[in-house]
Amino acid sequence: MALVETKARVGVFSIALQAYLPQFPSLVPEFQKQYADFKDSLPKTVELIDGGIVTTKEESQAAGDKFRAADVDLVILQLLTYCTSYNMLPAVKDLDVPVVLVNVQKLKCLDFEHADIASWLGEGYAAGAVGEMVADLNRYGKRHAVVTGVVEGGDPAVAKELEEWCRAAQVRRRFRDTNLAQIGRPYPGMMDLYIDESNLYHRMDVYTKQFDWEKMWAIADNITDEAAIRAKAEDIINTFDIEGGATVEKVWDMAKYVVAFEQWVKDEKIGLVASHYDGFAKGQAGILDSMLIPAFSMLIKQGIACAVEGDIKVAMAMSIMKTLTGATQLSEFYTFDFNNDIVVIGHSGSGDACISTERKPTMKIVPVFHGKTGGGYLTQFYPPMGPVTYLAITQDMDGHFKFIVSEGINEPGEILHTGDTNMRTRFNIGAREWNNRWCECGPTHHFAAGPGNQTDVILKVAKILNVPCEVVCRN
């Protein structure tokens, strides 16, 4: 269950040429039925902003007013028959989101021997205006995509495309409706992680709220609901296989902080967290610092992307992968297994129990955290074998953001036993070439992993957010 609920808003409308309707009255109920069926076919995971069936410029302007008022994340346009582009442009010309032109014909093939003009225009002429629409969208500088298919008999390819577009739209809505919490500052010296938060809000719609560690150390001071703490302690025990065994009493303080963090997320509308503490914490501060990894892992499980080392860009990448796949893992290069042409990829720190499908996540106490002060709880997750997608977000010299994406295959085999999450990933271009191509794209040293082959839907996210995307390799 997500701690902060967001639902993409998708503008939907259809167009037909008004001149046809008085000539062929049967087209009116035909188009009404096609449009109603089309709306019903769209994923129920989004909120539809209905612009109706548009046959005039004035109706198109009214649809555009609705879309702007709703701040839609995407527009889906059903082409019912041939129509001039002035029916489309007023609805979308003031929007900065892609327009998906759905060119779906009702029938697989007309009965050419018996089809009359009305049946031709109503059941077999969806494609007539697609080129015209794209030409004008290009001239207006609007992002767009075309989906072609058929209604009769069902069309899984069309359903997949529209489902992916709706999932991609959810990323934009999540970025716009929630905030990013920056606690502390990035790991000192990791200049690839440094970022201009004003530029981030300008280009990616992600607003940053700054928090000091002094506030976070005291965040659980007012948590007194023992039933809620006990329930969260049981949730932690059910989520992790804790070295040496676990009882509610042993994880009580951790559960108290998780309850506090959950309330903080709701109060501040937090969707992403980037944090780093690099001090010498004592007392209450030391207690929290030792348990941040599992505490933030419990947040990731519930949909809040939590990135270590203060990396805002990878927090965004994790949020995207969590939104698209339901699971994510902070990652970086660990080592090569040149004997088997494998890249070992992983990371210490917070992770997502939802990606740990090979076995239950583990938790143990270590006396020293590598690369940071103190010691405490480490968590390890065990991602599934099979397809995996890696997503990095980086910037160029002018502050523009860029996606870098790559697909690979996770394979079983030996991993490090340091308490960190490890994945043995094979790339179809080989370990050396993958590393060369990936690094030449200029990523930060962190990236996010998600299960499955996700390049196609990530490309849709990139189009919605209007950022370029480099694809290193696919499965």
Side-chain angles (χ1 to χ4, degrees):
M1 182 177 126
L3 280 171
V4 178
E5 294 289 349
T6 56
K7 201 170 187 179
R9 301 171 196 161
V10 176
V12 59
F13 71 118
S14 64
I15 57 175
L17 190 65
Q18 200 279 334
Y20 291 156
L21 305 185
Q23 293 177 301
F24 308 101
S26 63
L27 290 179
V28 174
E30 174 66 36
F31 290 156
Q32 289 172 340
K33 178 68 164 56
Q34 287 189 36
Y35 182 54
D37 290 345
F38 177 68
K39 288 186 292 182
D40 287 342
S41 74
L42 295 174
K44 303 301 183 286
T45 54
V46 299
E47 177 187 352
L48 294 183
I49 309 300
D50 191 352
I53 299 175
V54 168
T55 63
T56 67
K57 170 180 171 290
E58 289 71 27
E59 290 171 345
S60 186
Q61 287 175 323
D65 289 343
K66 291 182 70 172
F67 297 159
R68 287 192 300 277
D71 182 29
V72 295
D73 303 297
L74 179 71
V75 172
I76 298 177
L77 167 59
Q78 179 195 28
L79 292 102
L80 292 165
T81 187
Y82 173 76
C83 188
T84 52
S85 54
Y86 89 143
N87 284 18
M88 172 197 66
L89 286 170
V92 302
K93 71 180 182 68
D94 296 323
L95 300 174
D96 187 24
V97 297
V99 181
V100 180
L101 303 169
V102 181
N103 169 38
V104 179
Q105 187 167 288
K106 180 180 178 181
L107 300 180
K108 289 183 178 179
C109 185
L110 289 169
D111 179 353
F112 292 109
E113 183 67 25
H114 302 99
D116 59 14
I117 294 176
S119 59
W120 164 51
L121 294 176
E123 300 174 324
Y125 195 19
V130 178
E132 178 176 337
M133 302 298 158
V134 170
D136 281 313
L137 287 170
N138 281 337
R139 297 202 311 175
Y140 276 67
K142 301 298 175 184
R143 306 186 296 283
H144 52 77
V146 176
V147 177
T148 297
V150 65
V151 175
E152 184 182 8
D155 194 326
V158 169
K160 177 177 180 291
E161 281 289 303
L162 294 177
E163 189 274 333
E164 286 184 352
W165 275 111
C166 288
R167 264 195 293 148
Q170 182 60 43
V171 171
R172 180 181 185 270
R173 180 49 43 192
R174 189 165 181 76
F175 280 9
R176 290 173 80 84
D177 277 6
T178 64
N179 301 303
L180 186 146
Q182 186 178 49
I183 314 173
R185 43 102 176 113
Y187 192 103
M190 290 181 179
M191 296 182 68
D192 59 328
L193 309 189
Y194 294 1
I195 197 166
D196 174 350
E197 290 84 5
S198 294
N199 182 54
L200 175 68
Y201 188 43
H202 169 58
R203 299 191 188 280
M204 301 289 278
D205 289 320
V206 178
Y207 181 75
T208 305
K209 287 190 171 185
Q210 308 282 354
F211 295 90
D212 294 322
W213 280 112
E214 285 80 0
K215 177 172 183 175
M216 309 315 292
W217 291 330
I219 198 170
D221 287 356
N222 298 321
I223 302 298
T224 58
D225 186 342
E226 293 198 355
I229 298 170
R230 181 170 297 276
K232 189 54 61 177
E234 292 171 348
D235 188 12
I236 292 169
I237 292 170
N238 289 332
T239 299
F240 290 98
D241 182 1
I242 301 176
E243 187 179 83
T247 64
V248 167
E249 288 69 30
K250 283 185 178 179
V251 299
W252 186 267
D253 285 343
M254 185 187 299
K256 187 176 180 180
Y257 272 103
V258 174
V259 171
F261 278 128
E262 289 176 351
Q263 189 58 54
W264 168 70
V265 162
K266 293 174 185 175
D267 292 345
E268 301 285 354
K269 291 211 72 178
I270 301 299
L272 310 87
V273 178
S275 68
H276 180 67
Y277 179 72
D278 191 41
F280 297 91
K282 302 292 184 182
Q284 194 65 23
I287 293 172
L288 173 57
D289 189 43
S290 72
M291 63 179 62
L292 276 175
I293 287 172
F296 280 153
S297 295
M298 295 300 291
L299 294 186
I300 300 173
K301 178 184 174 183
Q302 299 175 82
I304 308 302
C306 298
V308 299
E309 298 173 358
D311 189 348
I312 286 176
K313 291 190 283 291
V314 84
M316 291 192 294
M318 291 172 67
S319 180
I320 290 171
M321 296 306 289
K322 182 71 172 177
T323 302
L324 298 181
T325 73
T328 190
Q329 176 61 44
L330 176 66
S331 305
E332 66 180 34
F333 168 78
Y334 260 33
T335 185
F336 290 115
D337 175 357
F338 281 119
N339 291 330
N340 294 287
D341 200 27
I342 290 288
V343 185
V344 180
I345 291 170
H347 210 279
S348 61
S350 308
D352 185 2
C354 296
I355 205 171
S356 194
T357 58
E358 289 295 303
R359 60 170 289 190
K360 190 175 181 180
T362 54
M363 185 195 306
K364 68 178 181 180
I365 298 177
V366 295
V368 178
F369 289 138
H370 81 267
K372 61 175 288 197
T373 58
Y377 294 91
L378 278 183
T379 54
Q380 185 169 353
F381 303 85
Y382 305 88
M385 300 300 104
V388 62
T389 301
Y390 295 111
L391 170 65
I393 300 179
T394 188
Q395 290 178 278
D396 65 15
M397 64 182 293
D398 296 316
H400 296 281
F401 289 88
K402 180 178 74 171
F403 289 179
I404 306 166
V405 63
S406 180
E407 294 174 353
I409 301 291
N410 280 344
E411 297 185 356
E414 284 295 316
I415 59 174
L416 293 167
H417 301 284
T418 56
D420 296 353
T421 301
N422 278 205
M423 292 171 282
R424 294 176 57 86
T425 307
R426 182 179 302 281
F427 297 98
N428 60 18
I429 56 176
R432 300 168 191 256
E433 185 63 19
W434 175 79
N435 192 252
N436 291 342
R437 292 189 193 178
W438 179 266
C439 293
E440 282 292 334
C441 293
T444 65
H445 73 280
H446 288 151
F447 43 95
N453 296 322
Q454 305 296 337
T455 299
D456 287 340
V457 69
I458 289 172
L459 288 169
K460 294 177 173 65
V461 173
K463 184 168 281 193
I464 288 174
L465 297 179
N466 200 19
V467 298
C469 181
E470 292 194 50
V471 178
V472 173
C473 63
R474 293 176 180 252
N475 289 329

